[in-house]
């Protein structure tokens, strides 16, 4: 974001929005609305919603910087007129339109506007879904009303059949606090995406919806949803029956994943007396460590990558010479390997010793490999 060519009042609002929003906001397509002003006063905001993204164009006027901006919604949301709906609603007095009393000197103005518009958009999509003439969807919605944080949207394109998407937040756990020392700025969440095709008739045995587990990107450093197998959707099942089983399985595996961080930390600590203090290590998730080692005059680095499924899966090892370089001037490295003795039932100290014993033998082969590579590059 070229903040240095944005008018200062607008830049302050953008910075506050990007820094303080409870969700990740991206700023795109910054440009100038005037030929001679040289100021960037319009841009697009990419906002997460229902496990997808909505894009809204925000148009200020650099010539009149105290004026409120215009907000243009996507073509697919031409019926979304948030403050028209609010003016007719019973709670119109409690929900104030920030555009009518715009304070461009307040850095929180855009932040307040975007958060309010997103909530109104959420209500707009919920109303659209509730108006769909589909008995199964009406039943599913009625069974999930007690769950907080659910987002839903209706997708209706000319070239695709109508479908309704749900984003269902899972687990009443503070994942940020579960990972000691985490520096995540946003709350880490796991959602179940549920997609139903729209149909008018209620089948006695309706087919299973499309299901997909989605997590915050940062959470993948601790728990990989790609390795989680969703429980089967049984005939005649509804979401209210499916979710408890899913959450029970998920909670158990997440707790195991968090416990695995400490197991990985203990392995790195057990390797230190054998190889020496690591020259580099992942202090938070303990996914990797690098040790400086030697065999005679041959000096090399040992890279240890510890998988999320440790100790069920063993670490992968790679050696890197400190003395041999290829024709591009890069250090020669060995192929990554897990071909060494391993058992997840061993004590951590035994695991470390087996890794060390393997490196003692493998470094001789690696030295020979480095010398041969150098000869070939001459």
């Amino acid at each position: 974001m070229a903040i240095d060519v944005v008018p200062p009042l607008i830049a302050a609002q953008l910075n506050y929005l990007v820094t303080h929003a409870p969700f990740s906001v991206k700023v795109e397509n910054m440009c100038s609305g005037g030929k001679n002003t040289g100021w960037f006063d319009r841009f697009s905001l990419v906002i997460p919603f229902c496990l997808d993204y909505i894009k809204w164009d925000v148009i200020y006027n650099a010539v009149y910087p105290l004026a409120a901006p215009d907000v243009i919604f996507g073509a697919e949301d031409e019926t979304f007129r948030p403050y028209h709906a609010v003016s007719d609603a019973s709670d119109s007095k409690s929900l104030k339109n920030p555009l009518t009393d715009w304070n461009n000197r307040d850095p929180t103005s855009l932040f307040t506007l975007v958060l309010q518009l997103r909530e109104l958009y959420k209500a707009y999509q919920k109303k659209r879904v509730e108006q769909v003439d589909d008995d199964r969807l009406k039943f599913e919605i009625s069974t999930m009303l007690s769950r907080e944080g659910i987002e839903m949207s209706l997708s209706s394109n000319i070239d695709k059949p109508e479908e309704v998407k749900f984003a269902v937040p899972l687990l009443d756990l503070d994942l940020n606090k579960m990972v000691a020392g985490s520096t995540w700025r946003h709350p880490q969440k796991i959602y179940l995406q549920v997609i139903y095709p729209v149909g008018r008739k209620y089948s006695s045995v309706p087919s299973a919806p499309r299901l997909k587990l989605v997590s915050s990107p940062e959470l993948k450093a601790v728990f990989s949803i790609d390795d989680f197998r969703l429980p089967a959707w049984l005939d005649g099942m509804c979401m209210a029956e499916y979710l408890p089983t899913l959450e029970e399985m998920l909670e158990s595996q997440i707790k195991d994943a968090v416990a695995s961080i400490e197991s990985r930390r203990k392995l790195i600590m057990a390797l230190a007396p054998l190889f020496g203090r690591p020259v580099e290590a992942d202090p938070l998730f303990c996914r990797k460590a690098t040790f400086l080692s030697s065999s005679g005059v041959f000096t090399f680095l040992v890279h240890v990558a510890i998988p999320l499924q440790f100790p069920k899966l063993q670490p992968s090892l790679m050696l890197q010479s400190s003395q041999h370089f290829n024709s591009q001037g890069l250090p020669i490295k060995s192929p990554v390997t897990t071909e060494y003795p391993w058992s997840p039932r061993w004590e951590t100290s035994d695991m470390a010793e087996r890794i060390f014993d393997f490196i003692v033998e493998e470094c001789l082969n690696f030295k020979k490999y480095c010398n041969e590579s150098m000869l070939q590059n001459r």
Side-chain angles (χ1 to χ4, degrees):
M1 184 169 63
I3 208 72
D4 56 327
V5 291
V6 179
L9 295 179
I10 300 175
Q13 294 182 40
L14 263 179
N15 276 331
Y16 191 92
L17 170 65
V18 172
T19 305
H20 293 86
F23 42 80
S24 177
V25 179
K26 295 181 180 179
V27 182
E28 297 181 348
N29 306 326
M30 297 202 73
C31 62
S32 173
K35 294 182 179 179
N36 301 316
T37 63
W39 293 105
F40 284 2
D41 57 359
R42 54 193 61 195
F43 46 85
S44 300
L45 295 178
V46 181
I47 301 167
F49 177 76
C50 201
L51 301 180
D52 204 342
Y53 294 93
I54 48 179
K55 181 181 286 190
W56 295 340
D57 295 328
V58 181
I59 301 176
Y60 286 85
N61 189 333
V63 179
Y64 303 101
L66 298 182
D70 291 324
V71 181
I72 301 176
F73 308 111
E76 67 278 7
D77 294 318
E78 60 181 358
T79 58
F80 177 48
R81 299 176 181 178
Y83 294 116
H84 286 273
V86 169
S87 63
D88 299 331
S90 59
D91 62 346
S92 59
K93 292 183 180 180
S94 62
L95 188 62
K96 183 179 179 181
N97 181 350
L99 293 172
T100 60
D101 189 23
W102 187 257
N103 181 2
N104 214 29
R105 298 188 183 279
D106 181 359
T108 68
S109 295
L110 183 61
F111 169 85
T112 302
L113 174 64
V114 169
L115 263 61
Q116 189 177 104
L117 284 175
R118 191 184 183 282
E119 284 301 307
L120 292 171
Y121 186 78
K122 179 179 175 181
Y124 159 76
Q125 285 290 354
K126 182 174 183 289
K127 185 176 180 180
R128 291 185 71 207
V129 171
E130 290 173 339
Q131 292 174 341
V132 171
D133 186 13
D134 185 300
D135 293 337
R136 181 188 186 184
L137 277 172
K138 293 181 184 296
F139 173 73
E140 291 285 7
I141 293 172
S142 69
T143 65
M144 293 191 290
L145 288 176
S146 60
R147 296 185 69 97
E148 295 183 359
I150 293 180
E151 295 182 348
M152 57 189 79
S153 66
L154 174 64
S155 173
S156 52
N157 297 323
I158 298 177
D159 55 343
K160 286 180 60 180
E162 278 190 328
E163 57 186 22
V164 170
K165 298 180 181 180
F166 291 92
V168 184
L170 302 174
L171 302 176
D172 187 19
L173 297 174
D174 190 334
L175 299 175
N176 292 52
K177 288 185 178 180
M178 288 181 67
V179 180
S182 69
T183 56
W184 295 320
R185 188 160 68 90
H186 297 295
Q188 298 303 297
K189 299 287 186 181
I190 299 179
Y191 297 87
L192 180 66
Q193 183 184 69
V194 189
I195 302 178
Y196 290 98
V198 174
R200 295 182 181 276
K201 295 182 179 180
Y202 188 87
S203 171
S204 58
V205 185
S207 59
R210 303 205 308 273
L211 304 172
K212 182 181 178 181
L213 213 57
V214 180
S215 74
S216 310
E218 298 92 339
L219 192 61
K220 294 179 180 179
V222 177
F223 177 75
S224 174
I225 58 171
D226 297 331
D227 298 325
F228 181 84
R229 179 173 295 181
L230 289 168
W233 180 283
L234 304 178
D235 290 344
M237 183 175 271
C238 68
M239 286 302 302
E241 297 171 301
Y242 183 80
L243 291 175
T245 301
L246 169 61
E247 290 188 308
E248 182 180 348
M249 293 173 58
L250 196 56
E251 181 174 354
S252 174
Q253 293 195 26
I254 286 178
K255 288 181 177 178
D256 288 344
V258 173
S260 179
I261 296 176
E262 187 58 28
S263 298
R264 296 195 294 269
R265 190 187 312 278
K266 289 180 179 178
L267 176 65
I268 294 175
M269 293 174 64
L271 289 168
L274 302 171
F275 287 100
R277 184 176 179 179
V279 294
E280 184 179 6
D282 172 9
L284 184 56
F285 306 116
C286 304
R287 295 285 308 278
K288 57 185 178 181
T290 299
F291 299 89
L292 180 62
S293 190
S294 63
S295 174
V297 295
F298 178 48
T299 307
F300 57 95
L301 296 174
V302 181
H303 298 288
V304 183
I306 312 175
L308 291 175
Q309 297 82 2
F310 177 85
K312 183 179 179 181
L313 297 181
Q314 66 198 94
S316 58
L317 308 175
M318 182 180 68
L319 306 185
Q320 175 183 323
S321 176
S322 301
Q323 300 163 313
H324 301 81
F325 302 88
N326 61 21
S327 57
Q328 286 78 41
L330 300 175
I332 296 177
K333 300 178 181 180
S334 72
V336 175
T337 183
T338 55
E339 298 297 323
Y340 59 90
W342 183 262
S343 171
R345 293 180 294 275
W346 288 342
E347 294 292 331
T348 305
S349 58
D350 293 332
M351 296 175 179
E353 288 177 2
R354 293 301 183 100
I355 291 175
F356 181 76
D357 291 343
F358 171 77
I359 295 298
V360 168
E361 295 184 7
E362 185 62 23
C363 71
L364 300 177
N365 297 327
F366 179 57
K367 180 181 179 181
K368 180 181 178 181
Y369 169 77
C370 290
N371 290 331
E372 291 174 350
S373 297
M374 292 287 288
L375 290 173
Q376 292 175 359
N377 291 331
R378 288 180 179 176

